[in-house]
Amino acid sequence: MTTRVSLFSSPLLLGFDHMERLIERATKSGSEGYPPYNIEQISEDGLRITLAVAGFAAADLSITLEDNQLVIRGKQADDKERVFLHRGIAARQFQRSFVLADGIEVTGAELGNGLLHILLRRPKPEPQVRNIAITTTDGGRTDTLGVSGKTGSGQ
């Protein structure tokens, strides 16, 4: 019997089990080869994914955001009227997935010259500091230590 050791199995990493699932999804979707793509940083907080989708019209493409997974699908209708003597340009369907980090927003998409550009925005994270109240119970009386450290009653 083999035991699988998780990268996030440490008791100090609470609540990171979803990260392991995200990594597994990313490695599965990374093995696809078609269509080729680029990812570029276009500004301090802007990213652009560009897919080479020559021969696809906007109606043949769909872009969805499922949880944190950006999924681009393409399917061309087979034209029964055309007779090919040689068919070197495949009219195949595809699905390309990208796992996005929390907070990344899809701001738009445009198709031109056989390239599909998907624009993303990665907002700068604001540092968050929050004080947690400490509640004590002694002999039926409840005291709460608030932000200032003074004891108040009743919570």
Side-chain angles (χ1 to χ4, degrees), residues 10-150:
S10 169
L12 301 175
L13 297 174
L14 299 175
F16 284 93
D17 50 336
H18 72 284
M19 292 291 286
E20 185 173 17
R21 288 191 298 272
L22 285 175
I23 291 170
E24 286 177 11
R25 279 191 349 205
T27 53
K28 286 180 186 174
S29 66
S31 62
E32 303 165 353
Y34 180 78
Y37 66 93
N38 292 335
I39 300 175
E40 38 185 330
Q41 185 162 355
I42 56 174
S43 68
E44 190 173 320
D45 65 346
L47 301 169
R48 177 171 53 200
I49 300 172
T50 302
L51 285 89
V53 292
F56 284 86
D60 300 330
L61 301 168
S62 73
I63 303 170
T64 56
L65 190 59
E66 302 168 5
D67 295 325
N68 284 4
Q69 190 164 2
L70 178 68
V71 180
I72 301 103
R73 292 180 178 92
K75 183 174 184 181
Q76 292 176 315
D78 199 17
D79 190 0
K80 305 285 187 201
E81 304 277 322
R82 298 169 77 182
V83 177
F84 292 96
L85 299 179
H86 170 76
R87 187 160 191 174
I89 302 171
R92 63 181 175 181
Q93 62 184 12
F94 70 87
Q95 176 175 316
R96 170 72 73 183
S97 301
F98 299 91
V99 178
L100 304 180
D102 287 336
I104 291 190
E105 304 166 355
V106 179
T107 60
E110 55 189 44
L111 178 65
N113 297 324
L115 298 174
L116 175 64
H117 301 286
I118 301 167
L119 304 171
L120 308 170
R121 188 174 147 276
R122 177 180 38 197
K124 293 209 180 234
E126 297 290 328
Q128 296 180 0
V129 177
R130 193 177 94 199
N131 291 318
I132 309 298
I134 301 171
T135 303
T136 61
T137 55
D138 292 328
R141 181 174 164 219
T142 303
D143 293 330
T144 302
L145 298 177
V147 176
S148 64
K150 296 181 182 176

